[in-house]
Amino acid sequence: MNERHFILDEIDPQLFYGVGNSHMQMLKSLYPKLRLTARGSVVKALGDEQELQRFAQTVEHITNHISRFNTISEADIIDIFNGHPSKDEAVKGVVVYSTSGTPIKARSENQQRLIDAYHESDMIFAVGPAGTGKTYLAIALAVKALKEKTAKRIVLSRPAVEAGEKLGFLPGDMKDKIDPYLQPLYDALEDMIPAAKLQDMMEKHIIQIAPLAFMRGRTLNDAVVILDEAQNTTGAQIKMFLTRMGWNSKMIITGDMTQVDLPHDKKSGLREAITILNGVEGISIINLTQQDVVRHRLVSRVVEAWDKYDKGNV
């Protein structure tokens, strides 16, 4: 009798095992000649070598399915066992799948331009009003790069600029003070990576989230690096950030020029960078508009009303 171990380190093992170990029970019924046990992230199989090889192929297909779709059903497992994929592997335009299995893809022409620019350029500026999906899509592209192993890590950053309250007056230690500024980044990641896997990746620094000030002095190789809320950087800060770019890396800089929280005597570094870098080879600048808003329909109306008000008060 032969024995093989299968380590589920690329996915959340709980998705493989199923609720109440339902998927493991199904695998045991599908492979009655094998003795299957699971502990932690390791599945142990004992039995005939030929049956072990069949089981190894099933495990590989299941883990690939989970890695791609972030979910799997008992019907999917049956289809995989029978050699018939349960989902179309070539769903057009999908960047990644959410943790609920929902496809994340462009929902407007300019969002598709952002995705195309990512494949064509190493540095991309995505500028537009709230709700246009610029940050969410940027993180989806980074997660896809991690899944496809075209990048070894994701680095996400935001300037910690006060908007109505001072950091020093917020409760807790420095992490507690800064985390609220970074929460939108956590929210997007939690939509795309199962909680246990996300926690593991952050502990291993495969995914790093830090305020902009923590970027100084670093060289970021083999990474997708995202700077969110870049309108709240100064010229010196955004220059510092852009020059952190290393080999085999991509940078995505997002911002909304209508939501600058800097003091009135300071100019936005994002506006300055776009002016200076416009037309530079290898850099793409994508402008999203209220027509690209993908949140609640009222968000688009709010943006439009504010634009009209601002124009009338210039």
Side-chain angles (χ1 to χ4, degrees):
M1 185 174 288
N2 297 316
E3 178 178 322
R4 292 184 65 174
H5 291 186
F6 303 90
I7 302 174
L8 309 175
D9 56 355
E10 295 293 325
I11 59 169
D12 181 354
Q14 294 307 314
L15 292 174
F16 185 95
Y17 300 145
V19 178
N21 275 343
S22 58
H23 295 166
M24 278 301 298
Q25 295 304 319
M26 172 173 282
L27 288 170
K28 288 178 180 180
S29 67
L30 293 173
Y31 289 93
K33 296 180 181 179
L34 296 179
R35 181 181 175 185
L36 303 177
T37 57
R39 176 173 293 182
S41 60
V42 179
V43 176
K44 184 168 70 173
L46 289 87
D48 173 75
E49 181 60 30
Q50 186 174 355
E51 197 72 356
L52 284 173
Q53 288 179 0
R54 286 190 61 211
F55 180 69
Q57 290 180 340
T58 298
V59 169
E60 181 181 0
H61 289 309
I62 290 174
T63 54
N64 287 342
H65 185 106
I66 293 173
S67 179
R68 178 170 173 79
F69 299 108
N70 276 324
T71 185
I72 194 165
S73 66
E74 293 183 0
D76 293 328
I77 293 174
I78 292 293
D79 287 336
I80 288 171
F81 177 77
N82 291 326
H84 304 297
S86 58
K87 290 190 178 184
D88 180 8
E89 289 292 326
V91 178
K92 187 176 180 181
V94 174
V95 180
V96 291
Y97 288 81
S98 73
T99 52
S100 63
T102 303
I104 297 171
K105 56 193 294 187
R107 295 172 63 182
S108 72
E109 184 177 341
N110 283 328
Q111 285 190 359
Q112 186 59 52
R113 288 182 62 223
L114 172 55
I115 293 172
D116 294 341
Y118 175 85
H119 297 297
E120 296 166 1
S121 304
D122 288 338
M123 186 178 291
I124 305 99
F125 288 83
V127 184
T132 51
K134 52 191 182 296
T135 301
Y136 196 78
L137 265 183
I139 292 177
L141 288 164
V143 170
K144 180 181 181 181
L146 211 55
K147 286 177 176 286
E148 295 179 348
K149 302 187 186 304
T150 57
K152 294 181 180 178
R153 57 179 169 160
I154 298 173
V155 180
L156 307 174
S157 186
R158 265 188 164 201
V161 175
E162 295 94 339
E165 56 184 341
K166 300 292 184 181
L167 278 171
F169 290 98
L170 294 175
D173 59 18
M174 181 55 69
K175 183 179 186 301
D176 294 328
K177 294 174 190 291
I178 289 171
D179 270 357
Y181 291 93
L182 307 177
Q183 191 58 49
L185 305 179
Y186 289 111
D187 291 344
L189 287 169
E190 287 168 357
D191 262 6
M192 303 174 204
I193 302 174
K197 184 63 179 174
L198 177 58
Q199 182 65 31
D200 179 63
M201 295 172 95
M202 293 185 70
E203 288 175 358
K204 293 177 179 176
H205 302 292
I206 296 170
I207 295 178
Q208 303 170 25
I209 304 179
L212 179 58
F214 286 46
M215 295 295 107
R216 188 173 298 279
R218 302 182 66 183
T219 300
L220 304 170
N221 297 316
D222 302 307
V224 178
V225 189
I226 297 172
L227 175 60
D228 192 34
E229 299 288 349
Q231 76 275 2
N232 288 328
T233 62
T234 63
Q237 285 175 329
I238 200 166
K239 181 181 178 183
M240 177 275 291
F241 176 82
L242 297 178
T243 54
R244 301 307 93 202
M245 190 174 191
W247 295 107
N248 192 37
S249 289
K250 285 182 178 282
M251 278 191 166
I252 308 176
I253 302 92
T254 69
D256 176 2
M257 294 311 306
T258 68
Q259 295 189 14
V260 178
D261 297 315
L262 293 169
H264 293 299
D265 60 339
K266 291 188 177 180
K267 295 181 179 180
S268 170
L270 177 60
R271 189 186 302 277
E272 186 176 318
I274 289 174
T275 301
I276 294 170
L277 300 176
N278 187 28
V280 174
E281 185 178 355
I283 297 177
S284 292
I285 299 172
I286 306 299
N287 290 294
L288 297 105
T289 68
Q290 64 190 43
Q291 280 71 41
D292 301 300
V293 171
V294 292
R295 292 182 187 166
H296 193 285
R297 61 183 179 276
L298 281 179
V299 174
S300 181
R301 295 174 189 171
V302 167
V303 171
E304 183 178 6
W306 227 276
D307 283 346
K308 289 180 179 178
Y309 175 83
D310 287 340
K311 290 175 181 176
N313 284 270
V314 172

